[in-house]
Amino acid sequence: MKPPSAGGGLGGAFGAIAMSVVAGVLVAAAITPVVALSGMAATTAVDIFEKLPNHLNPRSSLKRRRSLQRMLMMFMRRSRLCTTRIARP
């Protein structure tokens, strides 16, 4: 058995570097379509959101929801007052 030479070590290191570069290129080629599709999906989602009609304004629904919450709170307060008056001897 002969001892390893310096040329064999350099050849092995060069081979490892070359295979790492090839693996990096393959991974980049595999990921590129996924990145492109996600970018297109995000652009499409923004376009759809901006084309929504004006009557679907989230502010108006928030105002409606708050007014319904106020009405419900008033109802609950009144019913609670009525039940406490009845329940006390």
Side-chain angles (χ1 to χ4, degrees), residues 5-17:
S5 65
L10 283 175
F14 179 72
I17 291 172

Side-chain angles (χ1 to χ4, degrees), residues 55-72:
H55 69 276
L56 295 176
N57 189 357
R59 298 264 184 224
S60 63
S61 65
L62 182 63
K63 288 179 184 176
R64 248 184 280 135
R65 187 176 353 146
R66 286 190 180 162
S67 66
L68 289 174
Q69 286 175 345
R70 285 187 190 123
M71 287 176 30
L72 182 63

Side-chain angles (χ1 to χ4, degrees), residues 6-72:
L10 283 175
F14 179 72
I17 291 172
M19 291 307 290
S20 296
V21 169
V22 169
V25 168
L26 289 175
V27 168
I31 291 177
T32 301
V34 174
V35 171
L37 285 176
S38 63
M40 285 175 36
T43 304
T44 304
V46 168
D47 288 342
I48 289 172
F49 182 74
E50 288 183 355
K51 291 179 183 177
L52 285 175
N54 288 333
H55 69 276
L56 295 176
N57 189 357
R59 298 264 184 224
S60 63
S61 65
L62 182 63
K63 288 179 184 176
R64 248 184 280 135
R65 187 176 353 146
R66 286 190 180 162
S67 66
L68 289 174
Q69 286 175 345
R70 285 187 190 123
M71 287 176 30
L72 182 63

